[in-house]
Amino acid sequence: MNITGVITGDIVASRKLPGKSRERLYSDLRKFLATLKTKGLLTAYEMFRGDSIQCIVKNKEQSLRAALMIRAWLKSYAVRTSAAKKKQVRNKKTGVVMPLIGKQDIRLSIGIGGVDFVKKNSLAHSDGEAFHLSGIGLDSLKTTTGKIILETADTTFNEAIEPSMLLLDAVLQKWTSNQAEIILFKLKNYKEEQIAREIGISQSAVNQRTKTSQWSAIEKLLSWFEKTIKAW
């Protein structure tokens, strides 16, 4: 059976955004997911009910990286709420203008397991262990303050990684939009000098944000996770 990763998520409190801002957010998120597919990180993605997503990761070991990229993008996202505020754009590639009203975030559930079949034109009609694990995980998040969870069919592995995932979530929930923006570039393997040029700040500022976002610890967790899952 083919083992893969499925990510299911929903944007937190998106309905509180003004209609036009919400429409723009959904459109931009769809474009971002399309870039992840183009770059070979995802094999398929779908948005439904406006604020909900489901993605199939191309390589199972990249499941956590893909989820972190989606969350970093969302937490660093900003909406153009008026023509006057368009002048505040700092990076045309990311579309960062200003923080959303409130605390933008997304719940993400990663399920790693077998997939029985995939309907690429409708992931909602696909089935398999990875889909079940991802869906159940997202339902469990809705009853807690957590925003990210990872479940596999291996209960021993789940118990081993749960403390790390809880600590990771605690760090991610404290990210500012500026920190999330830096981490998104780090997840794409950009160097500090490249990031500095992209967003128009000094390299020392990039370095400071990298440290305060706890990238060093996140990078080690990602490395361990990817080596472990790749061996499955």
Side-chain angles (χ1 to χ4, degrees):
M1 181 181 291
N2 183 38
I3 304 297
T4 192
V6 171
I7 301 171
T8 308
D10 59 17
I11 302 171
V12 178
S14 64
R15 301 293 176 181
K16 294 181 180 180
L17 290 171
K20 289 185 178 180
S21 295
R22 193 166 63 247
E23 180 183 12
R24 178 63 182 267
L25 170 61
Y26 296 167
S27 175
D28 288 346
L29 176 55
R30 188 175 290 105
K31 291 175 184 176
F32 177 71
L33 295 176
T35 64
L36 295 186
K37 182 180 178 182
T38 300
K39 292 180 179 180
L41 199 63
L42 305 178
T43 58
Y45 67 90
E46 185 173 87
M47 291 187 66
F48 54 98
R49 293 199 307 270
D51 62 354
S52 298
I53 67 169
Q54 189 159 64
C55 311
I56 299 179
V57 184
K58 184 175 183 179
N59 299 309
K60 59 184 182 296
E61 65 270 15
Q62 292 185 305
S63 298
L64 182 56
R65 181 178 296 272
L68 289 177
M69 290 178 74
I70 293 168
R71 193 165 177 190
W73 181 89
L74 194 285
K75 287 184 71 69
S76 66
Y77 183 81
V79 176
R80 294 178 176 85
T81 54
S82 70
K85 290 175 181 176
K86 288 182 181 179
K87 296 179 181 179
Q88 297 182 35
V89 174
R90 291 188 290 112
N91 186 334
K92 292 180 180 179
K93 290 186 178 180
T94 61
V96 173
V97 185
M98 57 176 293
L100 287 171
I101 299 171
K103 296 180 179 180
Q104 69 269 28
D105 209 339
I106 186 169
R107 283 182 286 262
L108 293 172
S109 174
I110 306 164
I112 299 177
V115 172
D116 296 329
F117 56 87
V118 175
K119 299 290 186 181
K120 291 187 177 180
N121 294 326
S122 179
L123 295 187
H125 293 92
S126 301
D127 201 13
E129 185 178 47
F131 287 98
H132 298 166
L133 291 168
S134 184
I136 292 170
L138 185 63
D139 288 340
S140 71
L141 284 178
K142 293 176 182 178
T143 62
T144 71
T145 58
K147 299 293 188 299
I148 191 168
I149 190 170
L150 188 150
E151 293 288 338
T152 75
D154 187 334
T155 55
T156 300
F157 178 81
N158 294 343
E159 290 173 0
I161 199 171
E162 183 182 17
S164 296
M165 292 300 295
L166 290 171
L167 287 170
L168 174 65
D169 192 27
V171 169
L172 269 54
Q173 290 201 43
K174 292 182 179 180
W175 274 352
T176 64
S177 59
N178 287 336
Q179 290 171 333
E181 183 182 28
I182 295 295
I183 296 304
L184 181 56
F185 282 111
K186 298 293 285 187
L187 289 165
K188 294 178 180 178
N189 297 316
Y190 275 58
K191 303 296 184 182
E192 285 190 356
E193 56 269 24
Q194 292 176 294
I195 300 173
R197 287 196 299 269
E198 285 287 336
I199 61 179
I201 61 175
S202 67
Q203 188 172 337
S204 62
V206 172
N207 183 266
Q208 179 63 23
R209 292 179 190 179
T210 300
K211 289 179 180 178
T212 57
S213 64
Q214 306 302 321
W215 169 246
S216 178
I218 294 170
E219 187 178 30
K220 287 183 179 180
L221 174 60
L222 266 176
S223 177
W224 172 83
F225 175 84
E226 290 173 354
K227 288 179 182 177
T228 302
I229 299 299
K230 189 174 183 178
W232 284 16

